[in-house]
Amino acid sequence: MRIVLSDTYRDMSRKAAYIVASQIILNPRSVLGFATGETPLGLYRMLISMYWAGDLDFSGITTFNLDEYYGLSEESPYSYRFYMKKNLFQHINIREDQWHIPRGTAENVEEECRRYDRAIEKAGGIDLQILGLGVDGHIGFNEPDEKFEGGTHLVELQESTLKANARFFPSPEEVPRFALSMGIKTIMKAKKILLLASGASKADVIYEALQGEVIPELPASILQLHPDVTCILDGGAASRLEKERDERFS
Ligand code: GLP
């Protein structure tokens, strides 16, 4: 695992954008895995700027998002589908048939999960997966569990996640309690992973995920076993790693 330290959120986002841009330049038909949440917003803004500057062409890529809230309609401004359109897709040259997000309103959830897995497989798997990190160590919406989940599945969100994500909804009661998420095995099958974490609220979980035991109770810890992970941290998120390192020197 490569750990890249950035002083600021802006610098973290810019470094991430260069990595995504180089992936697209080297393989214009790349399959990218996208994440939601606050962390990748700066990255998406930089990618949009690169597109408008004429430096990046998205017309050949395919994308798969990690997750979607269960039960939110496609038009809901709180759905991840809406988030992706608003924060990236509507600003770049990508057609609707190039991007994929699990359907949170599917009548048959099991079928939708299998359909999503098949679509990822048919596309040849994910070349570069972008990941954020929940405060409880979740990646996608893979919550702490007794085992690592394989494929796309329905998840019951933990109280800490409901609380953390309430900031995106008009009231905490409106946060859906379930979500559809890509599984850990699919994430681990991505050829490259780019993990982003920003802010002091992520310092402990980053430390545990990167330096602690690999356990399903801390889903992100599995990334230690992936052969090609780049983790970009801003000062806040790196603070515990740096403190533990510095304490080793007299
Ligand atoms: C949500 C998403 C995750 C994301 C996490 C962290 O739970 N499902 O994919 O990584 O939030 O969000 P933030 O970046 O806002 O801290």
Side-chain angles (χ1 to χ4, degrees), residues 2-19:
R2 254 168 255 115
I3 300 179
V4 179
L5 301 180
S6 298
D7 285 339
T8 61
Y9 174 77
R10 192 184 146 73
D11 185 40
M12 178 200 79
S13 305
R14 190 174 45 208
K15 288 188 166 100
Y18 285 134
I19 292 173

Side-chain angles (χ1 to χ4, degrees), residues 9-10 12-14 16-17 34-49 80 82-88 91 130-132 167-168 196 198:
Y9 174 77
R10 192 184 146 73
M12 178 200 79
S13 305
R14 190 174 45 208
F34 279 143
T36 50
E38 217 167 319
T39 310
L41 285 174
L43 157 67
Y44 295 152
R45 279 195 292 272
M46 303 258 174
L47 292 178
I48 294 167
S49 305
Y80 285 160
F82 188 92
Y83 167 109
M84 287 309 296
K85 279 197 209 172
K86 178 173 163 230
N87 295 306
L88 183 63
H91 307 287
I130 294 150
L131 290 180
R167 68 192 194 279
F168 299 112
L196 305 179
S198 161

Side-chain angles (χ1 to χ4, degrees), residues 116-167:
Y116 203 65
D117 287 338
R118 278 198 304 274
I120 297 173
E121 246 172 66
K122 201 170 156 215
I126 293 165
D127 293 309
L128 174 64
Q129 175 66 57
I130 294 150
L131 290 180
L133 183 68
V135 279
D136 62 0
H138 72 240
I139 45 178
F141 264 137
N142 291 280
E143 294 282 32
D145 203 345
E146 286 162 6
K147 57 180 183 0
F148 291 110
E149 281 282 351
T152 305
H153 59 289
L154 186 71
V155 189
E156 179 165 13
L157 302 176
Q158 307 238 335
E159 283 305 321
S160 58
T161 302
L162 296 173
K163 215 169 135 201
N165 289 4
R167 68 192 194 279

